[in-house]
Amino acid sequence: MVKGKVSLNENGIEDTLNINDDLETIKSKRRKAALTWYMFLLPSFIGILLFMVYPIVESFRLSFFRSNGTIETFTGLSNFQMVLTSKTFWNTVWNTFFIGFFQIFLTIPLGFIFASLINSIKHGQNFFKVVYFLPNVTSIVAAAMIFQFVLHPEMGVVNYALDAIGLPTSTWFSDPSTSKWGVILLAVWHWIGFVIIICLANLQAISPEMYEAAKIDGASGLQQWLFITIPNMSGTFAFLLITGWIGSLQRFNEVYVLGGPNGSPARSIQTMGAFIYERGFTGFEFGIASAATYIMFIIILIFTFINLKVSKMQL
Amino acid sequence: MDQRMSERISNVVKFIVLLVFGILLMMPFIWMVSVGFDRTANITMPFPPRLIPETISNFNYGIVFENGRLIQSYINSGIVTTCSVFLQVSASLLAGYAFSKGTFKYKRLLFVLVLCTLMIPMEPRLIPLYTLFNSVGLLNSFWPLILPTVINGMLIFLCKQFFDQLPGTLREAAQIDGAGEFRIFFTVYLPLAGPIAATMVILSFIWSWNDFMWPLVVLNNQDLHTVPLYLASFSLENGTSLGGLTMALATVSILPIVVLYLFLQRYIIQSIALSGVKGE
């Protein structure tokens, strides 16, 4: 239609009109293109809405109700009060932090030392990488199953070895006073491969020129490690610290296999995750479990924030 | 000469330290395999522990396979993992590509939203997701395990990073030829995405295969149990009795993953390292 009008005009006007015409089509093409881009995002954002946003909002709402999934009554803040005054809950917080603390502060230094050793040898680097990472690819559920026997107080191989070399043995999972150490040992065994792989990748990214320069200045191997390697790894340590804590605070799988939903013996290895599972899916107290998840969520956020601050200071 | 000598010695010492500690780490596996083949290990474990069983037999393995639940759980895990990996990797490739090469409104905001999902743990979502799938009658099916995996912030992030490294000029050439965005993606960029797709498949496979808490919540029906669920229920039922059977079961459940790992170790280790290094 536009074209028909244009044909009556002189050449100059025809051109400008044609440009306008082009602009219009470009604009609509852009709009169409934008729409196509949203199509690319559609599956992921349906997922975000349905499986992230909705559950987070809904569990916030649920935390103000008494609910078993079918009957709901509004109870205000009483769920939060109930959880925050529950000795059982604070015991799970203590257990979670205790296990997490020792897992992280044993595994990161140990893993870093082994990564440095692997990085410094000439032959067999790949062999050791494969061996040390193997525990991490096995599922933690199967690993917990094996460790029940490995750490068995009477017939386990660890106590036998400790006894053979004259060290004191432990009651491990059979006594509340030692069971957490069993979980820590399992956690260190399972996580160390991951720490080593991450450390190795970052060790190899440190520029060799720095070492060359240090060598010319007469720095020994240990000095190079202390003053070049470790400062260059602070970002990696921060990453491991943060992901380590996030993972630790959500610990559930292995303690469920070792001690069931109530973390036997005597709730000594019940974690926050296990508390939520126990209240939510063995007791069907959805309101209380939701309040507990929010408290846990807030603990994780605050703690991650603190970790970020602390590790920034080191950088 | 002297320095070369001391370097040699320190190399040997390091090697030995690594070897000893490596054997220590492998000890649970070694013992597991040994006890699994031990005919007498079900009443009490052999004590003192021995490397070679007194009577080697495949008795325990026979029972583990005859029971049938292990094979069923393998099939279940296989179905769930295959579908999850496919869904998760496809959705993340599409989204990662759009966030890298796309031009549209709210791109930054939407990407921040994706990164925010990394912060959200499973626990607060557990109960609403349970009631959601319950209300549409999909509990005790594989759907609740498969569908929520469609969104994975980590994979989208890794994927975007990868496409960022590919030049945008590839697009322009195809655009001049009049190809649409989807055609450009499928014919130009997707064929180049092999390395990142492999990484994503590996990571997604490991996550899905080892997933435990959510399947535990939604699958009550034993026939639908995945491998970790079957292991856990067996372990909770029997505790530390039936050592031989437990170890045989553990061996069979770990073996395929270990074999896969040994074949793909280079790629798996690279993938893990990438998720860590880029995750910073």
Side-chain angles (χ1 to χ4, degrees), chain B residues 121-268:
Chain B
M122 187 64 210
E123 286 81 359
R125 300 188 285 136
L126 223 46
I127 289 163
L129 283 180
Y130 174 85
T131 45
L132 177 73
F133 280 105
N134 192 17
S135 66
V136 288
L138 286 177
L139 284 186
N140 279 314
S141 75
F142 294 142
W143 292 110
L145 306 195
I146 297 165
L147 293 177
T149 58
V150 70
I151 169 67
N152 187 299
M154 181 55 133
L155 292 188
I156 294 177
F157 179 74
L158 286 177
C159 195
K160 176 191 181 292
Q161 293 256 313
F162 177 83
F163 283 120
D164 280 346
Q165 291 166 354
L166 295 180
T169 44
L170 294 173
R171 279 168 48 72
E172 284 152 27
Q175 257 173 339
I176 290 164
D177 292 345
E181 292 299 347
F182 275 102
R183 241 187 85 190
I184 296 175
F185 173 69
F186 281 109
T187 57
V188 180
Y189 282 92
L190 198 57
L192 297 172
I196 196 67
T199 297
M200 288 161 77
V201 167
I202 287 169
L203 290 173
S204 166
F205 182 90
I206 295 174
W207 292 331
S208 173
W209 188 270
N210 290 336
D211 196 13
F212 182 70
M213 196 183 198
W214 174 235
L216 181 70
V217 165
V218 287
L219 297 179
N220 294 315
N221 184 351
Q222 281 196 347
D223 296 336
L224 297 177
H225 274 186
T226 55
V227 174
L229 284 183
Y230 173 49
L231 291 186
S233 71
F234 183 91
S235 183
L236 282 172
E237 260 168 51
N238 299 302
T240 49
S241 58
L242 300 182
L245 278 182
T246 309
M247 290 306 198
L249 186 59
T251 311
V252 179
S253 80
I254 289 174
L255 200 66
I257 303 294
V258 170
V259 170
L260 202 70
Y261 167 65
L262 292 180
F263 274 111
L264 296 174
Q265 37 103 353
R266 192 170 289 271
Y267 302 99
I268 292 176

Side-chain angles (χ1 to χ4, degrees), chain A residues 38 51 120 130 132 139 189, chain B residues 14 18 25 105 125 210 261:
Chain A
Y38 290 129
F51 307 126
S120 71
V130 172
Y132 279 70
S139 85
W189 178 82
Chain B
K14 281 175 189 168
L18 284 171
L25 271 185
K105 251 189 180 171
R125 300 188 285 136
N210 290 336
Y261 167 65

Side-chain angles (χ1 to χ4, degrees), chain A residues 30 33-34 36-41 43-48 50-56 58-59 62 69 110 114 116-118 120-124 126-152 154-160 188-189 192 194 196-198 201-202 235-236 239 246 249-254 256-261 273-274 276-277 280-281 284-287 289-290 293-294 296-297 300-301 304, chain B residues 7 11 14-15 17-29 31-32 43-49 91-92 94-99 101-106 110-111 113-114 117 119-133 147-151 156 171 181-182 185 206 209-213 216-217 227-229 231-232 234-236 239-244 246-247 249-250 253-254 257-258 261-262 265-266 268-269 272-273 275-277 279-280:
Chain A
R30 274 226 182 112
T36 332
W37 287 119
Y38 290 129
M39 293 302 291
F40 277 90
L41 298 179
S44 294
F45 278 84
I46 289 176
I48 290 183
L50 218 54
F51 307 126
M52 292 277 174
V53 177
Y54 162 73
I56 284 291
E58 169 68 5
S59 96
L62 264 178
L110 215 59
F114 281 109
S116 302
L117 284 177
I118 292 173
S120 71
I121 57 170
K122 286 206 184 78
H123 303 287
N126 202 47
F127 169 74
F128 284 120
K129 246 198 235 180
V130 172
V131 167
Y132 279 70
F133 191 63
L134 191 59
N136 199 257
V137 287
T138 60
S139 85
I140 189 83
V141 171
M145 209 162 135
I146 303 167
F147 265 65
Q148 265 189 324
F149 288 93
V150 170
L151 295 179
H152 195 281
E154 281 103 42
M155 41 194 195
V157 68
V158 167
N159 268 4
Y160 174 77
V188 171
W189 178 82
I192 195 163
F194 180 80
I196 290 175
I197 294 304
I198 301 293
N202 288 291
T236 311
F239 167 75
I246 292 176
L249 294 176
Q250 296 174 47
R251 188 180 310 281
F252 173 75
N253 301 357
E254 60 268 44
Y256 177 84
V257 176
L258 292 166
I276 289 159
Y277 179 81
F281 295 100
F284 287 92
E285 298 164 293
F286 284 171
S290 295
T293 63
Y294 258 85
M296 173 181 169
F297 191 22
I300 293 178
L301 282 182
T304 306
Chain B
E7 209 168 276
N11 248 323
K14 281 175 189 168
F15 195 88
V17 170
L18 284 171
L19 199 64
V20 168
F21 199 76
I23 292 170
L24 234 71
L25 271 185
M26 290 300 106
M27 191 269 303
F29 291 128
W31 199 51
M32 166 188 83
I43 302 150
T44 57
M45 299 290 272
F47 197 86
S92 304
L94 286 172
Y97 173 73
F99 279 124
K101 298 283 179 252
T103 41
F104 51 91
K105 251 189 180 171
Y106 308 120
L110 291 175
F111 190 60
L113 195 65
V114 167
T117 65
M119 303 278 291
I120 300 172
M122 187 64 210
E123 286 81 359
R125 300 188 285 136
L126 223 46
I127 289 163
L129 283 180
Y130 174 85
T131 45
L132 177 73
F133 280 105
L147 293 177
T149 58
V150 70
I151 169 67
I156 294 177
R171 279 168 48 72
E181 292 299 347
F182 275 102
F185 173 69
I206 295 174
W209 188 270
N210 290 336
D211 196 13
F212 182 70
M213 196 183 198
L216 181 70
V217 165
V227 174
L229 284 183
L231 291 186
F234 183 91
S235 183
L236 282 172
T240 49
S241 58
L242 300 182
T246 309
M247 290 306 198
L249 186 59
S253 80
I254 289 174
I257 303 294
V258 170
Y261 167 65
L262 292 180
Q265 37 103 353
R266 192 170 289 271
I268 292 176
I269 288 176
I272 299 289
S275 75
V277 177
E280 257 175 87

Side-chain angles (χ1 to χ4, degrees), chain A residues 52-71:
Chain A
M52 292 277 174
V53 177
Y54 162 73
I56 284 291
V57 174
E58 169 68 5
S59 96
F60 186 67
R61 189 190 68 81
L62 264 178
S63 62
F64 298 101
F65 286 82
R66 177 183 296 137
S67 163
N68 60 4
T70 43
I71 306 157

Side-chain angles (χ1 to χ4, degrees), chain A residues 218-235:
Chain A
S220 71
L222 187 67
Q223 279 173 325
Q224 290 176 32
W225 192 64
L226 285 175
F227 299 114
I228 297 174
T229 314
I230 291 180
N232 270 297
M233 292 292 284
S234 58

